[in-house]
Amino acid sequence: MPTEAPVRTSLVLVPFAVGAAVAVGVGVYGGLHTPQGYSINISGFSSTQAVKSWLTTGAFVFALVQLLSALMVYGKIKGPRWSGTLHRWSGRLAVLLTVPVVVHCLYALGFDPSSPRVLAHSLLGCFFFGAFTAKMLVLTRKGVPGWALPLIGGLVFTGLVALWLTSALWFFTTTGVTF
């Protein structure tokens, strides 16, 4: 029985270490890469910032669905039998919406310490993708302690909400709600 604890701990520590490496790697890449100034353009939007803000807002809404459906899956609130399916698909859609945003941020802008808000946003972006990587790795492991997945899911949720606050909400409050 004493050998069980280190094995279970490693099931969490390895994904956390890989997630930390991803976070650092994204930050290093963003810092070393010469920003190109552009990378995405979706027709119908007034600016790249508007595109990113709306995609991030969509991901934020799906993150709220993730929180609600996770509470259903864990039996904290009553929900339909398909709560698990809702949770998985809302997560997939949230990540899908963030992909063009992160590609633009890394390729076009890089890691930017030019102001406290932008620095916080850059750090949060690194944190979010590191936490997301760790969550995906924890999901694939059997025997993970019961607290691990809700903790890492909460970190991913918190990271995405903080990213939305430092980007889309900031954009909408400074320029108005535009498309």
Side-chain angles (χ1 to χ4, degrees):
M1 229 13 116
T3 60
E4 201 171 311
V7 171
R8 291 182 65 132
T9 302
S10 71
L11 291 174
V12 176
L13 291 180
V14 169
F16 272 79
V18 172
V22 166
V24 169
V26 167
V28 168
Y29 172 79
L32 295 177
H33 171 71
T34 303
Q36 302 300 306
Y38 65 91
S39 77
I40 62 170
N41 184 12
I42 298 177
S43 191
F45 287 92
S46 60
S47 68
T48 300
Q49 187 64 37
V51 171
K52 290 175 16 179
S53 295
W54 282 106
L55 290 174
T56 305
T57 298
F60 172 73
V61 169
F62 282 120
L64 294 175
V65 173
Q66 282 271 284
L67 177 62
L68 184 64
S69 61
L71 292 170
M72 292 177 200
V73 167
Y74 281 96
K76 302 299 181 188
I77 60 174
K78 191 168 175 66
R81 292 182 335 161
W82 44 268
S83 298
T85 302
L86 175 64
H87 187 75
R88 284 187 297 281
W89 278 100
S90 61
R92 290 171 181 155
L93 292 171
V95 169
L96 182 64
L97 290 174
T98 66
V99 170
V101 176
V102 73
V103 167
H104 176 80
C105 289
L106 280 174
Y107 183 76
L109 305 174
F111 190 94
D112 187 357
S114 63
S115 75
R117 181 195 63 83
V118 176
L119 174 61
H121 184 73
S122 293
L123 291 169
L124 287 164
C126 296
F127 171 81
F128 172 76
F129 277 96
F132 175 76
T133 299
K135 181 181 179 191
M136 293 301 102
L137 292 173
V138 166
L139 280 173
T140 63
R141 296 179 176 262
K142 302 277 189 233
V144 172
W147 55 263
L149 195 53
L151 173 67
I152 193 79
L155 292 173
V156 171
F157 175 81
T158 301
L160 184 58
V161 169
L163 281 168
W164 182 79
L165 290 169
T166 59
S167 62
L169 181 63
W170 173 84
F171 175 76
F172 293 140
T173 57
T174 58
T175 65
V177 178
T178 62
F179 288 97

